[in-house]
Amino acid sequence: MRAIQITEFGGPEVLTEVDLPDPVAGPGELLVDVSRAGLNYADTHQAENSYLAKQELPLVPGGEVVGTTGDRRVVALTSGGGGYAQKAVVPEATAFDVPDGVDDVTALSMVVQGATAWLLLRRSAHLEEGETVVVHAAAGGVGTIAVQLAKRWGAGRVIATASSEDKRALALELGADVAVDSTSPDMTATLREANDGRRVDVVLDMTGGAVTDQSVAALAPFGRLAFYGMASREQPSPIPPGKLLVRSTAVAGMWLPHAFTLPGRVVHRAMGELFDLVLAGDLRAVPGGEYGLSEVRRAHEDLRSRRSTGKLVLDPSR
């Protein structure tokens, strides 16, 4: 089968197209004929071994696929990679049947980005009706869905941040009330100004560095920042507990794999609700572009440069 393999860690240049033997599913696993693989910002960390889970070489990257296994059409999370290929083995526990009427790009948009947005708002930030929600990187995969869910779930105001006029226009089209420049040198002041001078209640942040520091400083009493990535590749400043006490604020981290350890099949519940919203016309994925295996380096360059919007996918047939 055709696949992308990494034999040394680094940037997009380490992604190499190869022919590999077909993988074999073991107990509790499914073999998926991959029609599309998802491309995520986390994949760029995986390629350079700076991800939360340490990687081992050689590696076929890719954490999500959609395709068929027997008579089932499924979207699934892989276990430690394997998605950038024509066939992939996935744990049965992280595979979800795709309803008729849901296309490949939408299915992939829901399994990582959609579930992440759902968990950030429902479990990490515990969004309450009427609260102000800030969505950083609002034109990205998680951001485009989080903007829609926050509005649907009763946010009083959704403030989107994005780096270009086109991205900010997309966030407004999806339901954001205000869209501001993510390159603002003083994000604390920018967020308060966008909220009519008031502090904000919820921040969804995948940027890191100064953006995180300044977003924490913009939180209202009992405000919550949910941190789920570090696209800037810069660590935020340490937050002493006293700094949280002084305004009764909270900072939570969220990594999707941990959600599968929760009782009550939380991720399955999230996926069911997300697919229902899609089928009802109340939630839409934003296609961001499709790449063939031979174009995977360009895909990673686009991800790293933050040029992309919405959901990027890989077509292993070309």
Side-chain angles (χ1 to χ4, degrees):
M1 69 172 184
R2 297 173 65 218
I4 298 298
Q5 189 178 62
I6 295 170
T7 57
E8 61 179 321
F9 293 118
E13 73 282 354
V14 304
L15 300 163
T16 303
E17 186 177 344
V18 297
D19 286 315
L20 295 176
D22 290 355
V24 177
E29 295 180 326
L30 302 173
L31 178 63
V32 179
D33 288 312
V34 179
S35 57
R36 298 291 186 281
L39 289 157
N40 294 301
Y41 196 87
D43 298 350
T44 69
H45 286 289
Q46 189 182 39
E48 64 184 18
N49 202 23
S50 61
Y51 196 45
L52 292 172
K54 292 303 178 184
Q55 309 298 307
E56 295 184 2
L57 297 174
L59 169 70
V60 175
E64 57 180 10
V65 296
V66 62
T68 56
T69 176
D71 59 356
R72 293 174 64 190
R73 179 166 170 255
V74 299
V75 64
L77 299 176
T78 65
S79 179
Y84 290 10
Q86 291 181 310
K87 295 180 183 291
V89 168
V90 303
E92 192 161 5
T94 61
F96 308 89
D97 290 308
V98 180
D100 292 340
V102 176
D103 60 56
D104 283 353
V105 175
T106 299
L108 285 170
S109 295
M110 296 304 130
V111 75
V112 170
Q113 282 90 357
T116 295
W118 191 99
L119 286 157
L120 287 167
L121 291 167
R122 289 283 203 221
R123 298 289 297 231
S124 300
H126 299 283
L127 174 65
E128 298 281 349
E129 190 169 346
E131 291 186 315
T132 297
V133 178
V134 175
V135 180
H136 286 307
V142 175
T144 52
I145 296 174
V147 166
Q148 296 175 76
L149 292 180
K151 286 301 292 185
R152 178 160 189 83
W153 292 341
R157 175 173 293 192
V158 174
I159 300 170
T161 79
S163 60
S164 70
E165 288 187 12
D166 287 347
K167 290 182 177 183
R168 292 191 287 274
L170 172 62
L172 292 170
E173 178 191 339
L174 293 172
D177 299 285
V178 186
V180 301
D181 190 346
S182 62
T183 65
S184 167
D186 186 348
M187 187 56 68
T188 303
T190 296
L191 295 180
R192 293 190 64 173
E193 181 180 354
N195 200 31
D196 294 336
R198 301 186 303 275
R199 293 178 176 273
V200 302
D201 301 301
V202 171
V203 177
L204 307 186
D205 178 30
M206 55 82 69
T207 305
V211 170
T212 303
D213 298 339
Q214 294 171 11
S215 297
V216 171
L219 290 173
F222 292 98
R224 292 88 67 203
L225 182 142
F227 187 67
Y228 66 100
M230 204 161 54
S232 69
R233 287 173 160 77
E234 296 176 0
Q235 289 281 354
S237 300
I239 303 175
K243 200 169 184 179
L244 299 177
L245 276 173
V246 76
R247 205 174 297 279
S248 297
T249 52
V251 175
M254 203 286 286
W255 189 31
L256 184 59
H258 291 147
F260 286 92
T261 69
L262 295 172
R265 291 166 57 88
V266 170
V267 181
H268 287 75
R269 181 156 56 91
M271 290 296 293
E273 186 172 340
L274 291 167
F275 281 145
D276 285 346
L277 290 171
V278 168
L279 292 172
D282 294 326
L283 178 65
R284 68 180 177 94
V286 176
E290 183 171 292
Y291 304 78
L293 282 182
S294 60
E295 302 170 299
V296 69
R297 293 182 180 181
R298 179 166 63 86
H300 273 232
E301 289 166 358
D302 290 345
L303 281 165
R304 290 174 69 107
S305 67
R306 312 284 290 278
R307 287 194 294 265
S308 60
T309 59
K311 183 61 183 174
L312 306 186
V313 299
L314 196 66
D315 179 355
S317 71
R318 61 183 184 88

